[in-house]
Amino acid sequence: MQPYQPYNQGGPVPPPAAPSRGGRAKKFVLRIVGFILVAILIAVGKWYFGQSDAETTSVGSCMHNKGTQITPDLEEVDCSSSDAEFKVVEKFDDTSDSTKCEAVKTSEIAYYQQGKGHNLVLCLKKTK
């Protein structure tokens, strides 16, 4: 009896193809693009979450002062909430001139914020 030999289908099997250099370059470019996208997302997240409620509020919104009269810290609240102390009757962006609220008839209080992204003035009316 002869020893078992596998059936050969026509010659030696060629070695696997070497990886192309283009594939390595594509992976490198994709990594760089991925890092750039992550950096952009982090920057946008820091900007968005770093904004104060005063910066993102709009006319007609209600505010609550979490701080003191000397160092106010306004947060936006629902106008039907018992925490609602002030209503925004006018908003001026890119200024810290609180005298602008003197021309707003319904304004009782001027709140200005400098820094933290940009300057702004809120003209407020007491809700209570």
Side-chain angles (χ1 to χ4, degrees):
M1 223 178 173
Q2 291 184 353
Y4 173 76
Q5 293 183 353
Y7 179 74
N8 189 348
Q9 294 185 1
V13 176
S20 68
R21 290 190 175 260
R24 289 171 66 193
K26 286 179 187 176
K27 286 181 183 179
F28 179 74
V29 169
L30 286 175
R31 281 187 182 158
I32 296 297
V33 169
F35 286 130
I36 290 171
L37 287 175
V38 168
I40 289 171
L41 288 173
I42 290 171
V44 168
K46 282 185 174 184
W47 172 80
Y48 180 76
F49 291 112
Q51 288 187 312
S52 69
D53 282 358
E55 288 177 283
T56 58
T57 195
S58 58
V59 173
S61 298
C62 291
M63 307 296 286
H64 170 73
N65 184 9
K66 296 189 303 181
T68 64
Q69 190 171 1
I70 296 169
T71 55
D73 182 13
L74 296 181
E75 72 174 343
E76 190 169 336
V77 295
D78 189 84
C79 288
S80 62
S81 167
S82 63
D83 287 339
E85 296 175 81
F86 309 102
K87 188 167 193 167
V88 179
V89 292
E90 191 64 62
K91 180 178 179 179
F92 297 100
D93 286 311
D94 301 320
T95 186
S96 59
D97 182 8
S98 60
T99 62
K100 290 186 173 215
C101 290
E102 292 173 8
V104 179
K105 292 180 182 179
T106 56
S107 176
E108 298 171 343
I109 298 169
Y111 167 83
Y112 69 92
Q113 177 177 299
Q114 293 177 299
K116 287 189 178 181
H118 73 279
N119 298 336
L120 66 92
V121 172
L122 295 179
C123 304
L124 306 171
K125 168 177 92 169
K126 291 182 183 179
T127 59
K128 295 178 181 180

